């Protein structure tokens, strides 16, 4: 009974609609007119809990089938999904600085937190307190298909499904043994990626059930920026410095001999360099300069540090996974099921060696490690600042009280010294993730199905951070008057020499000056779900062909997040780890939600002229959170088939997203965020009029500091972030609308012809987020908004000093919207003895991709643009595959197209002319597969067969996580041609 229903349902699912395992990106949206037994009332499609034969989704669904997954030869799901036009790259293997050591999915460019990731229709456990799912934990060897639902799916799945849902459907009835091995490497012979998996499955005696076990291992090798010509040197986005050297194949221009050292260059790098750059806090240009290798100090700056070569284009990782799935029939009508998934993952990220990064130190002028010439240079600069009124008790300690600056005094200074002697800064993310689901399903009252399940998931992560400077210890080590002992009396303290070139920091100095820190995260998720679905036979519209089908259910969900940094990271305003961008504090929070949901599918017309079928789909979900109260979501749509080969579908939904643990429970901490320029700095001195001057003064500057403080450093400023203590965020709401047409004509020369055209509009209000640093700067200094000016906190007039910062608390912002048109197609051409040609593709065109933080903030339009506010969002993208299948041989060519983009107009004046646009990109990937025997399949592939080079935009064209190595490494192929090989043995 239940077994026969499911068996029939599976067969029907493979014959009704476009078979996702046979073609590429298949819209699971159509059904052939097939006579099916009444018992086959257990079919549901992703995005609905209704189960019935011929169920047709009113929402667009893209499905990536098992065959396409084989073409990709990619063990990492995120790498497959990022090629889809419906996605924008999230965190992943090509994100280094700013990575969370995970792989996230970002539908429609609306943020990974608005894309719900499911496994077999159930929520996956997030890996962190921000609710993000690490797709690398998905057991790729067991994937049957991946369904992507566009638009809000909150009425069916609950919170977070605003942009849509990604449902990973696993094989749960596998029989046999499959061993799968894959290897890939670049044309340069590096970046190796290896994976092995073994999957075993068997039916139980008398077909009472099935059990499946899959074990997997994946390892990914590193590729440094310095391993590629483009990443070897820093190229400045604003000036194009070092671009000519790159084009000519030349190394970066080294710094003059007086400032020489490893990766010390003339331009195109960080001002935290060596030798040390020196500035008296708040003194403007007085006394500012850079040391030389011989310990002298000059007003001219002679070097920057090329940080590029240390960073990763591809981060190294290793993953072990184990998944077990089983089901057992208690009776013909009742079945128990369970699944367990365990993953252990290690990911490494690395950036250039740490430094003092402009931290403020209280420096005794009597420090004997300072040379006589340098000391006098400091005294002269401070004396000049004293005469101008920019030196006072805030930046000068007149120890002997004589009213003049001399060797007995202390100055508050910024020292920018790159500490190469401590090694590179590293972060190692070690994670374990466990998820278990168990439940029972069956039939009652003949045709009504029930399903009750309990799932529990837990993620544990330890992060070790090394190579950073201990700023507290460096302050202690600078406070010496004999060069041997420290004034704090600590016998372990070793005075440090920051006043010379590379090597002036000895091994003993480095041992005291460095900091290693540890942080731990834990996240747990507990879900109980009970639902029933079936048909009300007495509610049937005459002539409709079928009665009303309904689903009712209840869900209880609890989520808890915990983040615990060690004492080193808790220090404020900056942690003991210089170069980490601020401090971190413990986070502990969670939420509980009770939800009631219902869904209906009502056939209205059947077999009439102009209405072969007309079905209405509707749903409602009520949720009660212990954090933000209650909210409601709903959906209403219809499918209309005027003739047999045309389907029209329309869906209107209201979706919601409640704030996650990080958004409601994060304490106030300091950190870094991207910004282009400080209008009150020396970089804008020539454009400061009286109005701007007064606005600068209103944010904590003296008149003498206006136009004299340093500008944004390496595209980053200090920020103060966390959950808004006075206005915690409420839930987001979204109105989503989709409308489309599906055409499935029959042609003698073509098979499985399907073409879909869909319009989508996802309009989100009260989005949870924060103003960008540049938005706040512009709102204050350009628009004169005093409320935004109040968020700017300066120290010594500066925004780059620890303790200074721009307040960007997490709260509800105004809106975000993605609107577009998506086209999908599939068909095959039979060629008799020569096999079959298969064609498929997916095309997305954005009509709108924008956001606005408030009524007074500018609208950030990302469609066709890139900037520090926009990862590249091409207006048009497509992926198309042509495959030739002939007996035991399959050959396939994939074409990936990315439309050209331009820099956002507002940022164009600060971008080198050659970097203001990126041309269209076309990549071609080749795949071949051959059945060597009945049980052995060998695969070979080449990605980017023409070795298309990535675009060059410099290192400050986008935000830190997306713009690295002078390009956008997650959006464009940066590794060159890639070769893939694999073998699958199956019995």
């Amino acid at each position: 009974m239940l077994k026969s229903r499911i068996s029939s349902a599976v067969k029907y699912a493979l014959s009704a609609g476009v078979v996702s395992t046979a073609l590429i990106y298949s819209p699971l949206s159509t059904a052939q007119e097939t006579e099916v037994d009444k018992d086959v009332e257990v079919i549901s499609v992703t995005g609905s809990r209704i189960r019935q034969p011929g169920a047709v989704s009113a929402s667009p669904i893209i499905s990536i089938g098992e065959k396409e997954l084989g073409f990709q030869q990619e063990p990492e799901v995120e790498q497959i999904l990022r090629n889809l036009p419906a996605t924008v790259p999230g965190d992943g293997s090509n994100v280094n600085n700013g990575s969370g050591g995970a792989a996230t999915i970002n539908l429609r460019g609306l943020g990974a937190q608005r894309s719900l990731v499911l496994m077999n229709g159930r929520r996956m456990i997030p890996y962190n307190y921000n609710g993000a799912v690490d797709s690398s934990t998905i057991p790729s060897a067991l994937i049957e298909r991946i369904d992507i639902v566009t638009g809000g799916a909150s009425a069916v799945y609950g919170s977070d499904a605003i942009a849509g849902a990604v449902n990973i459907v696993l094989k749960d009835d596998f029989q046999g043994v499959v061993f799968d091995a894959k290897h890939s490497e670049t044309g340069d012979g590096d970046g190796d990626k290896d994976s092995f998996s073994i999957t075993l499955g068997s039916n139980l005696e008398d077909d009472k059930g099935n059990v499946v076990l899959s074990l997997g291992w994946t390892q990914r090798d590193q590729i440094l920026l310095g391993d590629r010509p483009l990443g070897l040197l820093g190229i400045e986005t604003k000036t194009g410095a070092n671009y000519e050297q790159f084009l000519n194949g030349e190394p970066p221009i080294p710094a003059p001999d007086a400032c020489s050292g490893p990766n010390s260059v003339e331009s195109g790098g960080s001002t935290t360099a060596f030798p040390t750059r020196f500035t008296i806090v708040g003194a403007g240009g007085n006394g500012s300069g850079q040391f030389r290798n011989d310990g002298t100090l000059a007003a001219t700056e002679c070097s920057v540090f090329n940080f590029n070569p240390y960073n990763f284009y591809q981060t190294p990782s290793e993953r072990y996974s184990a998944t077990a799935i089983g089901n057992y029939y208690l009776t013909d009508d009742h079945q128990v099921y369970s699944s367990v998934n365990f993953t252990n993952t290690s990911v490494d990220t690395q950036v250039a060696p740490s430094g003092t990064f402009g931290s403020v130190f209280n420096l005794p002028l009597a420090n004997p490690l300072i040379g006589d010439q340098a000391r006098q240079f400091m005294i002269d600069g401070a004396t000049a600042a004293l005469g101008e009124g920019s030196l006072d008790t805030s930046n000068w300690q007149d120890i002997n009280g004589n009213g003049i600056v001399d060797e007995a005094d202390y100055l508050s200074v910024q020292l920018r010294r790159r500490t190469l002697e401590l090694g590179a800064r590293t972060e190692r993310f070690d994670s374990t993730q466990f998820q278990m689901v168990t439940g029972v399903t069956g039939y009652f009252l003949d045709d009504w199905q029930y399903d009750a399940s309990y799932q529990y998931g837990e993620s544990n992560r330890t992060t070790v951070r090394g190579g950073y400077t201990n700023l507290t210890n460096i302050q202690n080590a600078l406070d010496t008057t004999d060069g041997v002992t420290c004034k704090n009396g600590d016998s372990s303290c070793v005075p440090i020499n920051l006043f010379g070139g590379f090597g002036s920091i000895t091994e003993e100095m480095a041992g005291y000056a460095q900091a290693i820190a540890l942080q731990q995260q834990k996240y747990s998720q507990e879900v109980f779900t009970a639902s029933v679905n079936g048909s009300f036979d007495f509610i049937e519209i005459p002539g409709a062909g079928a009665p009303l089908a309904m689903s009712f259910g209840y869900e209880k969900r609890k989520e808890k997040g915990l983040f615990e940094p060690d004492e080193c990271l808790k220090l404020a305003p900056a942690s003991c780890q210089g170069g980490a961008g601020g401090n971190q504090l413990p986070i502990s929070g969670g939420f509980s939600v009770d939800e009631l949901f219902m869904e209906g599918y009502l056939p209205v017309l059947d077999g009439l002229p102009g209405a072969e079928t007309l079905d209405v789909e509707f749903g409602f979900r009520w949720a009660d959170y212990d954090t933000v109260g209650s909210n409601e979501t709903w959906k209403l749509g219809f499918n209309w088939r005027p003739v047999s080969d045309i389907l029209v579908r329309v869906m209107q939904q209201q979706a919601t997203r409640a704030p996650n643990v990080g958004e409601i429970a994060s304490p106030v901490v300091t950190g870094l965020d991207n910004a282009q320029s400080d209008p009150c700095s020396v970089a804008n001195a020539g454009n400061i009029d009286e109005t701007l001057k007064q606005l600068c003064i209103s944010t904590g500057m003296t008149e003498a500091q206006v136009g004299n403080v340093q500008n944004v450093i390496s595209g980053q400023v200090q920020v103060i972030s966390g959950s808004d203590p006075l206005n915690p965020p409420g839930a987001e709401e979204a109105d989503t609308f989709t409308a489309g047409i599906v055409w499935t004509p029959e042609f003698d020369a073509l098979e499985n012809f399907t073409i879909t055209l869909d319009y989508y509009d996802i309009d989100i209000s009260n989005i949870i987020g924060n103003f960008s640093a540049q938005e706040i700067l512009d709102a204050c200094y350009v628009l004169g908004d005093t409320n935004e000016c109040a968020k700017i906190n300066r120290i010594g007039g500066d925004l780059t000093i620890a303790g200074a910062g721009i307040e960007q608390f997490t709260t509800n912002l105004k809106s975000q919207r993605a609107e577009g048109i998506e086209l999908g197609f599939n068909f095959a051409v039979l060629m008799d003895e020569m096999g079959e040609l298969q064609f498929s593709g997916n095309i997305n065109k954005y009509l709108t991709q924008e956001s606005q933080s408030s009524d007074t903030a500018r609208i950030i339009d990302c469609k066709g643009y890139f900037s520090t506010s926009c990862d590249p969002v091409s207006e048009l993208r497509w992926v198309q595959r042509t495959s030739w299948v002939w007996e035991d041989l399959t050959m396939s060519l994939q074409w990936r197209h990315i439309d050209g983009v331009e820099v956002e107009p507002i940022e164009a004046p600060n971008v080198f002319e050659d970097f203001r646009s990126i041309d269209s990109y076309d990549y071609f990937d080749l795949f071949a597969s051959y059945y060597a025997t009945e049980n052995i399949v060998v695969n070979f592939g080449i990605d980017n067969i023409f070795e298309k080079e990535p675009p060059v935009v410099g290192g400050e064209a986008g935000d830190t996580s997306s713009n690295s190595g002078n390009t956008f490494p997650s959006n464009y192929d940066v590794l060159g041609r890639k070769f893939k090989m694999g073998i699958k043995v199956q019995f």
Side-chain angles (χ1 to χ4, degrees):
M1 298 283 284
L2 177 61
K3 288 184 286 184
S4 64
R5 287 187 176 105
I6 293 176
S7 176
S8 299
V10 171
K11 293 177 182 177
Y12 179 78
L14 295 177
S15 62
V18 181
V19 183
S20 64
T21 55
L23 297 176
I24 176 180
Y25 307 110
S26 307
L28 289 182
S29 57
T30 62
Q32 305 292 332
E33 299 298 331
T34 305
E35 290 295 327
V36 186
D37 186 90
K38 177 184 175 182
D39 285 340
V40 189
E41 293 188 351
V42 294
I43 287 298
S44 68
V45 296
T46 295
S48 174
R49 295 178 188 270
I50 298 295
R51 300 169 181 255
Q52 66 174 28
V56 179
S57 173
S59 296
I61 302 177
I62 297 172
S63 185
I64 305 175
E66 187 175 11
K67 190 168 186 178
E68 171 61 23
L69 296 173
F71 288 156
Q72 298 278 357
Q73 284 292 292
E74 178 58 67
E76 297 178 293
V77 171
E78 180 266 339
Q79 290 287 325
I80 297 171
L81 294 180
R82 71 162 56 176
N83 288 332
L84 286 178
T87 65
V88 169
D91 196 356
S93 61
N94 303 118
V95 178
N96 180 52
N97 191 0
S99 173
T104 60
I105 300 169
N106 182 2
L107 294 178
R108 306 297 181 195
L110 294 173
Q113 68 273 36
R114 298 179 183 90
S115 303
L116 182 62
V117 182
L118 310 167
M119 186 183 295
N120 288 335
R122 304 175 190 277
R123 289 174 178 267
M124 291 187 65
I125 172 72
Y127 79 91
N128 68 357
Y129 51 81
N130 288 322
V133 169
D134 182 3
S135 66
S136 70
T137 62
I138 296 169
S140 55
L142 273 178
I143 297 176
E144 181 176 288
R145 70 175 193 272
I146 303 174
D147 293 343
I148 301 171
V149 183
T150 293
S154 291
V156 177
Y157 298 119
S159 179
D160 305 334
I162 283 183
V166 178
N167 185 22
I168 313 298
V169 180
L170 302 183
K171 305 169 186 174
D172 61 358
D173 59 351
F174 178 80
Q175 295 186 68
V177 179
V178 172
F179 173 76
D180 195 2
K182 297 182 178 73
H183 171 79
S184 69
E185 61 181 69
T186 72
D188 291 285
D190 58 7
D192 290 19
K193 187 184 296 184
D194 294 288
S195 68
F196 299 95
S197 68
I198 184 168
T199 304
L200 307 94
S202 175
N203 281 346
L204 302 179
E205 187 177 0
D206 298 326
D207 289 337
K208 296 286 285 184
N210 180 270
V211 291
V212 180
L213 174 65
S214 184
L215 305 175
W217 171 83
T218 301
Q219 180 172 285
R220 183 178 68 222
D221 289 351
Q222 70 182 40
I223 297 180
L224 292 164
L225 268 60
D227 294 332
R228 295 292 185 273
L230 178 57
L232 187 59
L233 67 163
I235 299 174
E236 291 185 2
T237 297
K238 184 174 184 178
T239 66
N242 279 335
Y243 183 47
E244 193 68 29
Q245 281 71 35
F246 164 70
L247 293 177
N248 294 333
E250 300 170 357
I253 300 174
D257 290 342
C259 297
S260 61
N263 287 298
S264 183
V265 296
E266 188 177 279
S267 62
S270 169
T271 56
T272 298
F274 58 86
T276 305
R277 290 194 176 196
F278 172 88
T279 302
I280 301 173
V281 175
N286 294 301
S288 295
Q290 186 169 8
F291 280 86
R292 301 307 192 254
N293 289 336
D294 62 3
T296 60
L297 180 56
T300 56
E301 296 167 343
C302 61
S303 72
V304 292
F305 179 72
N306 180 20
F307 54 81
N308 265 33
Y310 298 88
N311 291 256
F312 290 135
Y313 269 138
Q314 177 172 284
T315 57
S317 73
E318 187 172 23
R319 181 179 80 233
Y320 296 89
S321 65
T323 303
I325 302 174
N327 57 73
Y328 181 77
Y329 297 99
L330 300 172
T331 69
D332 283 346
D333 281 339
H334 302 280
Q335 175 194 40
V336 293
Y337 58 87
S338 185
S339 66
V340 179
N341 175 244
F342 175 83
T343 308
N344 179 276
T345 307
S346 296
V347 178
D348 292 300
T349 64
Q350 174 180 290
V351 294
S354 189
T356 53
F357 293 99
S359 297
V360 176
F361 299 103
N362 203 24
L363 180 67
L365 291 173
N367 186 324
L369 299 177
I370 303 173
D372 292 339
Q373 181 276 338
R375 182 180 297 106
Q376 191 59 50
F377 183 95
M378 297 176 186
I379 292 173
D380 292 344
T383 300
L386 182 63
E388 294 178 1
S390 59
L391 193 75
D392 54 32
T393 55
S394 68
N395 52 7
W396 170 47
Q397 294 180 42
D398 186 8
I399 299 299
N400 53 18
N402 60 4
I404 61 173
V405 181
D406 55 28
E407 189 173 333
D409 298 343
Y410 281 71
L411 292 177
S412 292
V413 302
Q414 282 183 287
L415 301 174
R416 295 189 177 277
R417 202 320 187 141
R418 188 70 62 160
T419 52
L420 271 78
E421 295 88 345
L422 275 62
R425 285 170 288 172
T426 60
E427 287 191 78
R428 181 176 180 87
F429 303 91
D430 288 311
S431 306
T432 59
Q433 188 163 304
F434 165 82
Q435 186 155 358
M436 175 271 295
V437 177
T438 186
V440 59
T441 184
Y443 280 83
F444 66 101
L445 298 179
D446 189 29
D447 286 327
W448 278 79
Q449 185 185 27
Y450 71 89
D451 192 308
S453 65
Y454 171 80
Q455 69 181 79
Y456 177 79
E458 187 174 296
S459 176
N460 294 278
R461 165 171 290 205
T462 300
T463 305
V464 179
R465 302 155 58 122
Y468 291 82
T469 50
N470 186 320
L471 297 176
T472 301
N473 284 8
I474 289 179
Q475 172 61 75
N476 295 336
L478 287 170
D479 194 6
T480 179
T481 55
D482 62 9
V484 178
T485 60
C486 304
K487 296 288 288 293
N488 69 347
D490 183 354
S491 60
S492 66
C493 179
V494 180
I496 192 168
N497 184 359
L498 299 181
F499 315 110
F502 176 69
S504 64
I505 299 177
T506 66
E507 186 175 343
E508 292 76 14
M509 295 175 183
Y512 181 70
Q514 67 179 330
I516 297 175
L518 180 73
Q519 61 190 40
Q520 293 183 308
Q521 288 192 58
K522 180 178 180 179
Y523 199 91
S524 64
Q525 181 187 75
E526 194 173 8
V527 185
F528 170 75
T529 306
S531 65
V532 297
N533 71 84
S535 298
F536 291 99
D537 293 338
F538 60 89
I539 303 178
E540 180 176 342
I541 297 175
L548 170 68
M550 292 287 294
S551 172
F552 304 92
Y554 166 77
E555 186 168 280
K556 173 77 173 182
R557 179 161 54 99
K558 293 182 179 180
E559 303 198 17
K560 296 180 181 179
L562 175 69
F563 173 73
E564 184 61 44
D566 66 7
E567 294 303 316
C568 164
L569 294 173
K570 294 178 185 177
L571 298 175
S575 75
C576 72
Q577 290 204 315
N583 69 317
Q584 299 185 46
L585 294 175
I587 296 174
S588 180
F591 60 85
S592 176
V593 56
D594 293 278
E595 299 180 274
L596 295 172
F597 56 86
M598 57 82 67
E599 190 180 359
Y601 193 89
L602 177 64
V604 177
L605 300 174
D606 182 61
L608 298 179
E612 290 220 354
T613 61
L614 176 63
D615 304 318
V616 174
E617 181 180 340
F618 57 91
F620 179 82
R621 177 180 286 253
W622 176 83
D624 184 24
Y625 287 83
D626 62 359
T627 53
V628 294
S630 64
N631 59 52
E632 297 85 30
T633 62
W634 54 266
K635 69 173 182 175
L636 177 62
F638 68 84
N639 294 304
W640 169 45
R641 193 182 296 276
V643 293
S644 62
D645 57 4
I646 294 179
L647 174 72
V648 178
R649 56 189 179 192
V650 176
M651 176 66 78
Q652 177 74 51
Q653 302 189 62
Q654 184 176 84
T656 188
R657 186 177 81 85
N660 57 48
V661 173
E663 290 166 338
I664 58 177
S666 291
V668 176
V669 295
T670 60
L672 295 173
D673 192 23
N674 296 99
Q676 273 213 321
S677 62
D678 176 1
C680 301
S681 71
V682 65
N684 195 46
N687 301 315
I688 299 177
D689 57 18
E690 186 60 29
T691 300
L692 178 54
K693 179 180 177 180
Q694 293 305 316
L695 288 170
C696 295
I697 292 172
S698 75
T699 57
M701 302 184 77
T702 66
E703 186 171 346
Q705 290 167 346
V706 176
N708 284 316
V709 298
Q710 59 195 330
N711 192 24
V712 170
I713 303 297
S714 297
Q716 293 181 316
V717 293
Q718 295 282 336
V719 295
I720 302 168
S721 62
S723 301
D724 192 331
L726 301 178
N727 186 28
E732 298 178 347
E733 291 186 354
D735 291 315
T736 72
F737 176 77
T738 59
I741 186 168
V742 182
W743 185 35
T744 55
E746 293 186 4
F747 296 110
D748 292 339
L750 303 177
E751 282 198 341
N752 300 317
F753 186 95
T754 302
I755 186 166
T756 66
L757 180 64
D758 289 284
Y759 166 82
Y760 60 87
D761 186 4
I762 306 169
D763 193 356
I764 314 169
S765 59
N766 297 320
I767 60 171
I768 303 170
N770 52 262
F771 289 87
S772 72
Q774 194 64 55
E775 276 186 308
I776 296 172
L777 290 170
D778 291 343
C780 173
Y781 300 123
V782 177
L783 301 177
D785 188 332
T786 56
N787 291 327
E788 298 306 302
C789 290
K791 299 177 181 178
I792 301 173
N793 303 281
R794 296 177 179 270
I795 291 181
D798 208 307
L799 284 175
T800 64
I801 296 174
I806 299 171
E807 295 177 2
Q808 46 172 203
F809 298 131
T810 300
T811 186
N812 289 104
L813 307 179
K814 184 181 179 182
S815 64
Q816 189 174 14
R817 185 183 181 198
E819 177 193 21
I821 298 172
E822 194 156 45
L823 175 71
F825 62 88
N826 290 286
F827 64 91
V829 180
L830 294 177
M831 300 189 300
D832 299 326
E833 292 83 4
M834 293 302 297
E836 180 176 294
L837 277 179
Q838 299 171 350
F839 300 88
S840 56
N842 183 260
I843 304 169
N844 181 76
K845 179 179 174 61
Y846 280 115
L847 303 176
T848 306
Q849 232 295 344
E850 63 185 28
S851 63
Q852 187 177 20
S853 297
S854 69
D855 289 328
T856 58
R858 73 179 180 91
I859 295 176
I860 300 175
D861 181 4
C862 292
K863 184 191 70 175
Y865 293 113
F866 67 89
S867 67
T868 54
S869 300
C870 299
D871 290 355
V873 179
S874 296
E875 185 174 349
L876 183 68
R877 284 181 62 198
W878 72 66
V879 58
Q880 190 277 323
R881 183 176 291 283
T882 301
S883 302
W884 175 44
V885 180
W886 179 55
E887 296 182 350
D888 294 329
L889 175 67
T890 298
M891 297 192 69
S892 184
L893 180 68
Q894 178 175 250
W895 176 14
R896 295 178 280 138
H897 173 82
I898 306 172
D899 230 22
V901 289
E902 297 179 350
V903 69
E904 235 194 317
I906 196 172
E907 295 190 5
N910 290 316
V911 175
F912 184 58
E913 187 172 356
D914 287 0
F915 300 161
R916 293 179 184 175
S917 65
I918 299 174
D919 292 337
S920 296
Y921 266 67
D922 293 279
Y923 296 106
F924 295 90
D925 310 322
L926 185 64
F927 170 83
S929 174
Y930 181 71
Y931 274 84
T933 71
E934 183 180 354
N935 305 111
I936 300 176
V937 185
V938 291
N939 303 307
F940 179 76
I942 307 176
D943 288 353
N944 191 8
I945 57 179
F946 297 114
E947 202 164 13
K948 181 85 171 177
E949 296 290 340
V952 183
V953 293
E956 300 82 35
D959 65 76
T960 305
S961 62
S962 65
N963 177 207
S964 176
N966 304 309
T967 188
F968 293 100
S970 294
N971 300 78
Y972 302 93
D973 288 1
V974 294
L975 308 181
R977 189 181 292 118
K978 184 186 295 184
F979 296 92
K980 298 179 176 180
M981 293 148 281
I983 183 170
K984 179 182 286 188
V985 182
Q986 49 195 1
F987 300 97

